[in-house]
Every structure is written in structure tokens, then in C-alpha cells.
Amino acid sequence: MSRSPFATSDEVDAVVVGTGAGGAPLLARLAAAGLSVVALEAGKALDPVRDFARDEEAQGFLFWNDERLSAGEDPVAFGRNNSGTGIGGSTLHYTAYMVRAQPADLRLKTDFGVAEDWPFPYEALEPYYDEVEATIGVSGPSPYPWGPARTPYPLKPLPLNGAAQLMQRGCDKLGIRTSPAANAALSGSYATDGTRFRPACHNCGFCQAGCATGAKGSADVTWLPMAAAAGAEIRPEAYVTGFERAPDGRITAVVYRTPRGDERQRCRNVFLCAGAIETPRILLLNGLANGSGQVGRNFMAHTGIQVWGQFDEFVRPFKGIPGGLISEDTHRPADADFAGGYLLQSIGVMPVTYASQVARGRRLWGKQLRAHMRGYNNTAGINILGDCLPYAHNFVELSDELDARGLPKPRVHFTMGENERRMTDHADKLMQRIWAAAGARDIWSFPRNAHIIGTARMGSDPDSSVVDPDGRAHDVPNLFVSDNSTFPSALGANPALTIMALALRTADRFLARGA
């Protein structure tokens, strides 16, 4: 993808590991500043027109399918929908919800005496939120009903699909405010300086199977073409395994595996952007940046219970942007018996995904499952995205089992705390009421946790965090982390927008140091 590939013997200014929401914006920024940069991506380079089909079973290659071992009382399901692979990473299959954190999300400890505050206020992220939304083309309502006054979205909201209209009906009857959600899918054709023309979304609804038209703002059609145009080199099928270091501890080269064998790229700086499982795994494999003992610790996963129901009218849940409607009235509910809060979202769902959730959640098989699925086109869902507190009992470690590459598999321990159970119970009751008010029958709940967060905490104290507020490792002066692993708290919002905003901030702080 590069116009000017670098030799591995060249000492480049920076190597970026990972090309998803954390790596791609940062790569574009560093390249635009004139730095020599190489991105290493474990997955393949994909052609959306050729490789992305409206067939969810055929699109399994978009997910990070290497085995991860799940432990704890609430083991997290991996594979589909948690991590991605390919040039563009998880943005290739994300649903494109682009929700800003609210200022209070960054100060849980101050407001509730639990978890951790972020080491900077909301105002430090706000200009980067504006920039991300303008660059990739976010469609959303103006004004937005919750949070501080903000810059209008560059595009008007997308149409409400069936589930969104039904959630709106139920919420209206209960006096809950709703709004069209913000999505990184284009409600009109769009291009900005440095990005190519992209057509409007035609609401096919298969966003999680990869967007074949480029209407979804995934990294492969936004940040990465910008980076390549500015001179960055992006290498697919380059799986990072280790580092070479100087006597003073600085990293001098990144070692990675390719189909041709092991290679190494000399560099002056490294940005690790591999996500909340692979980032700590790489650090632990190499005994790196762990003077605090915090690498792999504080793993979090959003509370994400779903409530489903069937309606008399046709919903056709595969159509339209999956997340069409939102309510943040529950960001800090008055009757809460928990810290933090959550948001409500309507959800679209593809048929095989829904069938698998029915089997897991309701234990329906054979004739019973087939009978239930006959009502698929009349099915609609709501879910939440809620805070998850960091706990000592939730962490990522290296197991004794080896993967296909001969490296230890990650083992992920996760058990919800009392706070998450209370929040889930609160949300379950409310969503059941919304669906009853909307006219649903056969209402059922599917408890789950979504998104993988934490494991390389950002903070000012080197005894309790892995990286400083600028994303630089406390222990290694030329190592930076830019992904959801650095989040001190989970935030009551989908993480993609904040990961991208944080990546731009990390790049700017690095450049301000004089690179």
C-alpha cells in the first residue's frame, strides 16, 4: 500500500503495530508530519469489492480467530465481534457506533470513589472527537440531546430501521428521551482533504460483514489511505513476536513473522496498537514495560445485556444501520444502586448471529429453534453499553498451552462484580418495560459483555500504571501504546471513537516532544 517502501535495514522513525482504530489514525498523523513510518498488521490486505460479501458465515476471516482461553465466572466469548484482523483491524467489522464519552465518564473515582479517573479531563479529548468525526464522516443529530454543547455532526442522521422505530415507540410511552444515533456510516456521499470520495450508505445492514461500498468509516477507507498517501508503508501478514533492545533498554528493532519467515525492522520508536489482548500478550511475552506489575491487569468488558422481542409487524432486523436509535437518559439514573451508568441502543442483527444467541441464551435446539427463527423477520432488540469497573480478579495472563505459532495462548479471567450485576439488573427491567410498551411478545434477555478494555492502564503513577498520560511506557522511553488497553475505566459508551481520538492525541503529544 506504500508508494515508498522502506528496507528493513533502514532505521525508520516509528513502527506501528496494528492498523485498527488505535494504529491507523496515529499512523496517518505521523506520516503527515513527515516521519518515516512502517505499520505491521497481522492480517491480510483485503479488497472490499472482491472480499466482502453480505454473507455473515463467509466473513469469519474478518475476526481474530486465534484461540483465547476464557476463565472466571463470566467467561468472555471471543472470536466473532471482539477483535479483528486484516488491514483496518476491528474497524472492518465494527457496527460503527460513534458515541462520545461524557465528561463524567472520565472521573468515576472522583464522583463515586471507585475505579480510576482518567489522567486528563474531557476537554483534552474534545477537539480530537471533532477531528475524527469530520475526517471519517460521522452521521448524527444536531443538536445532540446529552452532554456538553458540541460541534454539529458533518452529516445528518441515517434513517431509523425497524428496531429503532419500535424502541422509539416504547420509550415515548415511558417518557424516555431518544435520538437517532451517531454512526460512522455516510448518510450522503462524502470526502475530505486526504480521503477519497465515498458513496452514501444504502442501508444493507451487513456492517459487521465488512462494508463493500466504502460507506462505513473503517480504517481501510479513511485513515490508512491518508497514511499511505503521506508516505507510510503498511505491511500485511506481519505478526509481531519480539523486539531487539539496546543496553539502555530502548527498542532498536521489531521482530515479526511473515509467510517468508522471520524479519526485523530497525526503528527509533514503537507504537503498540494491537488491542487489549494482543498488546499485553506481546508485552508479557517479552517481559517489557511491566515494572509496575500492571501489564494484563484491570481487564474490563462492557455490560451489554440484550433484550429481544417479537412484534406483529415486519421488522426485518438485517436492514439498515444496526445501531439506529440511542438514549443516554440512563447515563446517571436517579434510582441507581450502582456506580456509573449506561446507554440504551436499538440493535439490528444478522440471521445466523441471532440464531446462535437464541441457542445459547434460551437453550433452543432443533425443532424449537427452527420454530423460533420463523419469527426472525418480526424480531427486534435493544441493548446497553455500561460501565465495567476494573478489578484485581480480572486479568490477562500467558497460559501453558501453545498456539499454532508455538507461542503461549492468552488466558482471560473475567467475573462481573456486584456493580455490574446491579447495573445489568436495572437495565434488564427497564428494557423489558420498553419492549412491553412497544407491543412486543415473547420478550427474553441475553446477558453478555461486549468490548475488551484495559490491561495496559494509562496514569501518572508508574507504580499503578503501564503508560503515562501521553501513552508512553513508564519503563521504556521509546515505546508507546495506543489502543483500548490504556483506558483507565471502561466508559459508558462504545469505544471506537475514543480510541481514534486518543490515538491522534498520542501522536500529537509524541510530535510535540520533538519525535
Side-chain angles (χ1 to χ4, degrees):
M1 297 183 65
S2 169
R3 295 186 305 176
S4 304
F6 300 98
T8 55
S9 56
D10 293 340
E11 186 183 47
V12 297
D13 290 318
V15 167
V16 177
V17 181
T19 60
L26 186 145
L27 185 74
R29 183 72 107 222
L30 297 186
L35 272 63
S36 53
V37 285
V38 171
L40 303 176
E41 164 60 46
K44 297 181 178 180
L46 302 167
D47 180 343
V49 174
R50 180 194 65 206
D51 297 324
F52 296 168
R54 289 175 205 150
D55 179 344
E56 57 184 306
E57 279 303 276
Q59 298 305 102
F61 61 82
L62 294 176
F63 302 98
W64 188 279
N65 292 314
D66 289 10
E67 187 176 14
R68 292 165 170 169
L69 307 180
S70 286
E73 296 178 14
D74 302 290
V76 176
F78 290 105
R80 290 179 178 274
N81 202 33
N82 261 331
S83 304
T85 184
I87 297 294
S90 298
T91 67
L92 297 176
H93 65 73
Y94 77 151
T95 53
Y97 259 121
M98 298 300 273
V99 185
R100 293 187 178 196
Q102 294 203 26
D105 288 324
L106 276 61
R107 53 172 196 264
L108 270 186
K109 189 169 187 178
T110 296
D111 292 351
F112 293 97
V114 297
E116 288 292 328
D117 288 347
W118 285 50
F120 45 74
Y122 173 86
E123 288 73 18
L125 282 177
E126 188 172 26
Y128 296 106
Y129 281 149
D130 287 344
E131 181 178 350
V132 172
E133 290 166 353
T135 301
I136 67 175
V138 173
S139 303
S142 298
Y144 187 73
W146 302 277
R150 46 151 300 137
T151 305
Y153 288 105
L155 293 164
K156 67 181 182 180
L158 289 154
L160 298 183
N161 63 6
Q165 293 176 39
L166 290 164
M167 175 179 159
Q168 187 178 50
R169 184 165 79 190
C171 287
D172 284 348
K173 290 184 178 179
L174 298 180
I176 299 170
R177 291 179 300 167
T178 61
S179 169
N183 284 280
L186 304 177
S187 59
S189 55
Y190 196 74
T192 57
D193 290 344
T195 65
R196 65 192 183 201
F197 173 85
R198 295 157 52 213
C201 171
H202 59 262
N203 301 301
C204 75
F206 279 71
C207 308
Q208 292 173 297
C211 179
T213 69
K216 188 176 81 168
S218 48
D220 60 322
V221 296
T222 53
W223 303 108
L224 295 175
M226 292 169 61
E233 180 181 354
I234 303 167
R235 296 179 188 160
E237 299 184 80
Y239 181 88
V240 171
T241 58
F243 306 95
E244 294 177 357
R245 303 180 70 184
D248 66 358
R250 299 176 72 86
I251 296 173
T252 57
V254 179
V255 181
Y256 57 98
R257 291 184 183 173
T258 76
R260 304 170 299 280
D262 285 357
E263 298 182 0
R264 57 188 286 280
Q265 176 63 54
R266 297 178 65 226
C267 62
R268 284 185 278 277
N269 298 280
V270 175
F271 291 82
L272 198 49
C273 315
I277 303 298
E278 294 307 314
T279 283
R281 185 187 185 203
I282 292 171
L283 294 176
L284 291 170
L285 281 169
N286 291 277
L288 204 59
N290 200 21
S292 64
Q294 293 298 304
V295 171
R297 299 286 164 177
N298 307 303
F299 175 80
M300 297 170 279
H302 281 130
T303 51
I305 185 172
Q306 299 175 339
V307 171
W308 298 96
Q310 292 194 348
F311 294 81
D312 291 335
E313 50 266 74
F314 277 116
V315 178
R316 296 185 177 88
F318 57 88
K319 292 190 68 174
I321 191 76
L325 197 75
I326 190 170
S327 177
E328 295 200 52
D329 274 7
T330 48
H331 181 252
R332 293 291 182 267
D335 60 345
D337 58 353
F338 49 81
Y342 60 89
L343 54 79
L344 296 162
Q345 299 167 327
S346 63
I347 43 177
V349 66
M350 297 180 288
V352 176
T353 299
Y354 181 68
S356 110
Q357 295 191 179
V358 173
R360 290 159 58 200
R362 298 188 66 169
R363 304 288 193 272
L364 297 183
W365 310 95
K367 291 182 179 178
Q368 288 183 308
L369 177 59
R370 288 198 295 274
H372 182 88
M373 288 303 295
R374 288 190 188 99
Y376 166 73
N377 269 324
N378 299 76
T379 298
I382 325 172
N383 75 345
I384 69 163
L385 255 293
D387 267 309
C388 173
L389 304 184
Y391 299 105
H393 60 257
N394 291 333
F395 59 95
V396 177
E397 64 177 353
L398 300 179
S399 75
D400 295 331
E401 291 187 30
L402 302 183
D403 64 14
R405 298 182 178 91
L407 300 173
K409 297 175 183 175
R411 180 186 291 116
V412 184
H413 298 256
F414 184 73
T415 300
M416 289 203 299
E418 185 62 24
N419 200 69
E420 289 71 42
R421 297 192 189 286
R422 290 180 178 181
M423 185 182 295
T424 296
D425 184 58
H426 185 280
D428 188 20
K429 291 174 180 173
L430 178 59
M431 290 190 290
Q432 297 245 4
R433 289 176 56 212
I434 292 170
W435 256 188
R441 61 179 186 280
D442 194 17
I443 301 170
W444 64 283
S445 302
F446 182 63
R448 60 190 277 274
N449 296 90
H451 305 129
I452 47 180
I453 303 165
T455 70
R457 174 185 286 170
M458 170 174 53
S460 299
D461 182 0
D463 292 332
S464 60
S465 57
V466 177
V467 300
D468 69 15
D470 294 342
R472 184 165 73 164
H474 291 299
D475 298 349
V476 185
N478 64 341
L479 173 64
F480 298 77
V481 179
S482 173
D483 56 34
N484 49 357
S485 70
T486 67
F487 284 21
S489 66
L491 308 175
N494 305 65
L497 175 60
T498 299
I499 296 171
M500 293 183 191
L502 192 56
L504 293 178
R505 182 182 184 275
T506 298
D508 280 353
R509 302 293 286 184
F510 170 77
L511 293 169
R513 291 172 186 261

